[in-house]
Amino acid sequence: MTYDSKKDARAALVSALLLAAIVTVSGGFTILSAHPGSTGDKTAAGKVSLREIRREAYCAHAVKRLSPKAENIRLVESPNADTRIMRFGREGQNIARCEFLPQDQTDSLRMATMSVNDKRLHRQVIDAINMRIDVLEYHRS
């Protein structure tokens, strides 16, 4: 290995470490600047609870897992606290409906049913989604 190639390799390594340090520090500031939400679903008027955010995130996550090529996933509406309706695909042509168990029935976040384009998913698929939610909740805590 010549002196110039060692010098180039060292410069690349230093650049990569510097970039990693910047990303780590900026991510740390992002986490530290976050405002903790309330526990449970009680929030001030006009604010969204963490439980609602997680319902939306888990519905979108389930859509991505069921259809890896899903694009433009967006929340269309939430007819009630336990239901999320999302559109995805080109021009929002596909609809996913995620229904969660009410909070008073369970302490954890559990999906009761899910349908994609008005076709209900099999109970085993819902169980697999709930297992994935459990894993994500465990890693989150």
Side-chain angles (χ1 to χ4, degrees):
M1 199 173 212
T2 66
Y3 176 75
D4 287 334
S5 61
K6 285 182 183 179
K7 188 176 173 182
D8 291 340
R10 190 176 304 139
L13 179 64
V14 169
S15 296
L17 290 174
L18 183 61
L19 180 61
I22 291 170
V23 169
T24 303
V25 169
S26 67
F29 282 125
T30 302
I31 290 169
L32 291 175
S33 66
H35 299 288
S38 62
T39 56
D41 259 356
K42 296 180 181 175
T43 58
K47 292 189 177 182
V48 180
S49 72
L50 291 177
R51 195 169 184 93
E52 289 178 20
I53 292 169
R54 288 197 306 262
R55 285 183 181 128
E56 181 179 340
Y58 291 140
C59 187
H61 182 74
V63 169
K64 287 179 193 174
R65 297 286 266 187
L66 294 169
S67 178
K69 294 182 181 179
E71 55 188 33
N72 302 326
I73 300 172
R74 66 185 189 285
L75 180 69
V76 178
E77 64 179 305
S78 298
N80 59 47
D82 301 318
T83 304
R84 299 292 177 270
I85 299 175
M86 309 205 130
R87 286 195 169 272
F88 63 97
R90 275 188 241 116
E91 300 172 9
Q93 63 195 17
N94 299 311
I95 299 174
R97 181 184 181 96
C98 304
E99 296 177 22
F100 295 87
L101 290 175
Q103 182 178 358
D104 57 352
Q105 287 185 6
T106 180
D107 289 333
S108 60
L109 197 58
R110 311 299 296 160
M111 189 177 288
T113 61
M114 182 176 179
S115 60
V116 177
N117 296 333
D118 292 328
K119 295 178 184 173
R120 291 187 103 176
L121 275 69
H122 193 273
R123 185 73 231 160
Q124 290 176 332
V125 175
I126 300 299
D127 290 341
I129 291 170
N130 282 327
M131 286 174 51
R132 181 68 182 158
I133 289 172
D134 290 342
V135 168
L136 293 171
E137 284 287 306
Y138 175 78
H139 286 295
R140 188 181 65 80
S141 60

